[in-house]
Amino acid sequence: MSQEQIKFAYWVPNVSGGLVVSKIEQRTSWNIDYNRKLAQTAEKAGFEYALSQIRFTAGYGAEFQHESVAISHALLAATDKLRVIAAILPGPWNPVVLAKQIATIDHLTNGRVAVNIVSGWFRGEFQAIGEPWLEHDERYRRSEEFIEVLKGIWTTDNFSYQGDFYRIHNYSLKPKPLQQAPHPEIFQGGSSRAARDMASRVSDWYFTNGNTVEGIQAQVDDIRAKAAANGHSVKVGVNAFIIARDTEEEARAVLAEIIEKADPEAVNAFGHEVKQAGKASPEGEGNWAKSTFEDLVQYNDGFKTNLIGTPQQIAERIVALKAVGVDLILSGFLHFQEEVAYFGDKVLPLVRELERELEAEPVPLKLAA
Ligand SMILES: Cc1cc2nc3c(=O)[nH]c(=O)nc-3n(C[C@H](O)[C@H](O)[C@H](O)COP(=O)(O)O)c2cc1C
């Protein structure tokens, strides 16, 4: 188990409609004032990262969307320590433009920006913006080239690259990003075979949808073994929709209400679209390949991680995830502002306490189921 403290990120609500596809009340907003205040609250609460989303058109709702790089910069400008991860879709983005854009933001924000390279699942969106749609594994082949180019430009002068998707000739980016150890962090979203193989070669971080501890462990073991064989190391972040309440009954009642008020039309439409993701991979695995209707109500399978209950139960489950090799919890909340603050007050101190206990006495903890 890592000696480092487990890290916390939250989903930036830069698209409208909240993180669950349900008519339940969600006290959240996609507007910039709300997002600035949320970033400041999260920073104070002990969150290290914020992850923006990239969306060009409505999908599971998400009718309005702020662009990810621009909003990431705004949140960095409103905070002091928080690291903000901008979501990027190869295709619409060109890696040279992105390398330059992120290098500048890195200088403007004292080296706190990162990127999440997502390979896409939403064919209708690509069509809407006139972007050619590649088959599943081809999308990852392009993403891998994209990351190689990004790293090359960020770290070397006179960089050249001859790929199937990108060609660069003797290019020197000036200035390079401020972060030179070795460059701004590169996250990736996606967990099919192709996604894992890419992570085991080039990404700094592998982000996966929500899952059980066993499901996550299988992915961690697989990806770390492959990365070791490639002489690469990769950290792992897991999505979770967190419902922390003073009693377990209250938390379970909130989940039941979310599901009961789910918008079946929107959930089923989303379930149809995501067949372009994991299920469309040659092995038929990856994100959403086995998701049920209930899972899809949180559009990154966040209920499956089961961080739903009392602060103590949630803290114990987080430490159980750490014990199987998870480095970061990517969290979503119903009433964002107030629940991020509650998490910082009630859950995070318990996680740190359990981590200290484990470090002092590394015997298996009795963990909540
Ligand atoms: C943490 C995380 C964040 C993601 N963010 C976005 C996003 O902002 N926009 C987007 O179109 N897809 C996003 N995705 C989806 C990925 O691009 C990818 O299509 C999906 O995870 C399916 O991957 P798979 O086919 O490898 O299983 C995200 C995925 C994860 C796990």
Side-chain angles (χ1 to χ4, degrees):
M1 183 166 68
S2 168
Q3 293 302 311
E4 277 188 39
Q5 291 189 335
I6 193 160
K7 295 175 167 46
F8 293 93
Y10 74 92
W11 284 95
V12 174
N14 60 311
V15 309
S16 64
L19 285 193
V20 290
V21 190
S22 171
K23 297 199 163 89
I24 192 172
E25 183 194 11
Q26 300 188 60
R27 292 192 290 278
T28 175
S29 170
W30 62 289
N31 84 32
I32 185 62
D33 290 338
Y34 183 89
N35 265 293
R36 277 201 197 96
K37 188 154 174 263
L38 177 61
Q40 290 159 353
T41 306
E43 175 174 83
K44 221 163 96 204
F47 283 74
E48 195 155 327
Y49 293 95
L51 172 70
S52 66
Q53 308 167 53
I54 181 62
R55 194 72 305 123
F56 288 91
T57 181
Y60 34 79
E63 185 183 1
F64 298 94
Q65 321 96 25
H66 281 310
E67 188 276 322
S68 56
V69 176
I71 196 143
S72 297
H73 183 209
L75 300 184
L76 286 161
T79 50
D80 297 316
K81 292 183 297 191
L82 190 70
R83 312 180 81 80
V84 185
I85 312 163
I88 306 297
L89 261 177
W93 261 278
N94 165 291
V96 184
V97 177
L98 183 74
K100 193 141 189 73
Q101 208 173 13
I102 295 294
T104 297
I105 295 177
D106 211 36
H107 282 267
L108 293 171
T109 61
N110 202 21
R112 290 185 289 128
V113 68
V115 293
N116 183 30
I117 307 301
V118 300
S119 297
W121 52 270
F122 192 178
R123 189 176 192 149
E125 179 176 71
F126 273 57
Q127 268 162 358
I129 64 171
E131 190 62 41
W133 178 248
L134 302 178
E135 289 311 313
H136 185 274
D137 284 12
E138 280 298 278
R139 299 202 290 275
Y140 281 97
R141 224 161 57 77
R142 175 170 64 186
S143 294
E144 187 160 341
E145 285 196 8
F146 190 100
I147 293 173
E148 283 173 345
V149 170
L150 205 53
K151 285 189 190 180
I153 292 178
W154 277 342
T155 56
T156 43
D157 278 333
N158 306 110
F159 179 69
S160 292
Y161 189 88
Q162 298 298 319
D164 288 339
F165 300 93
Y166 305 109
R167 282 155 294 284
I168 313 293
H169 303 283
N170 203 22
Y171 176 59
S172 299
L173 174 74
K174 294 183 184 178
K176 300 272 187 292
L178 203 58
Q179 297 179 79
Q180 282 294 316
H183 50 70
E185 290 178 295
I186 299 175
F187 291 71
Q188 76 165 71
S191 43
S192 53
R193 178 77 274 149
R196 292 183 203 186
D197 288 352
M198 178 173 96
S200 76
R201 289 189 288 262
V202 294
S203 307
D204 299 318
W205 283 89
Y206 170 80
F207 258 147
T208 188
N209 274 5
N211 211 323
T212 57
V213 175
E214 297 72 34
I216 297 295
Q217 177 159 26
Q219 290 182 46
V220 171
D221 292 350
D222 174 63
I223 198 174
R224 292 248 159 86
K226 283 217 157 176
N230 295 332
H232 182 66
S233 78
V234 57
K235 294 183 187 162
V236 175
V238 175
N239 179 52
F241 191 80
I242 299 182
I243 309 176
R245 295 292 184 275
D246 292 344
T247 66
E248 187 177 6
E249 292 66 39
E250 281 174 85
R252 291 280 152 206
V254 173
L255 176 63
E257 190 185 343
I258 293 174
I259 303 293
E260 191 201 324
K261 295 188 174 159
D263 179 345
E265 218 174 286
V267 173
N268 287 328
F270 174 63
H272 177 74
E273 280 294 342
V274 295
K275 291 197 168 53
Q276 301 294 336
K279 229 174 195 152
S281 66
E283 82 285 3
E285 288 199 5
N287 286 343
W288 304 295
K290 298 187 182 114
S291 303
T292 62
F293 177 88
E294 288 196 5
D295 296 331
L296 291 170
V297 175
Q298 201 296 301
Y299 48 77
N300 282 93
D301 282 348
F303 305 137
K304 273 194 191 171
T305 317
N306 193 24
L307 299 189
I308 297 167
T310 64
Q312 182 68 28
Q313 289 173 317
I314 292 175
E316 290 181 4
R317 290 175 192 144
I318 289 172
V319 175
L321 286 164
K322 180 178 175 180
V324 300
V326 171
D327 302 285
L328 176 148
I329 303 291
L330 170 62
S331 56
F333 300 91
L334 195 63
H335 309 308
F336 247 98
Q337 180 80 37
E338 39 209 283
E339 293 193 36
V340 159
Y342 181 94
F343 185 86
D345 279 348
K346 302 276 166 93
V347 183
L348 231 150
L350 293 177
V351 173
R352 298 303 177 221
E353 206 178 298
L354 287 174
E355 285 181 312
R356 277 193 300 274
E357 278 174 27
L358 261 185
E359 213 174 301
E361 186 81 48
V363 288
L365 266 182
K366 198 173 148 288
L367 298 166

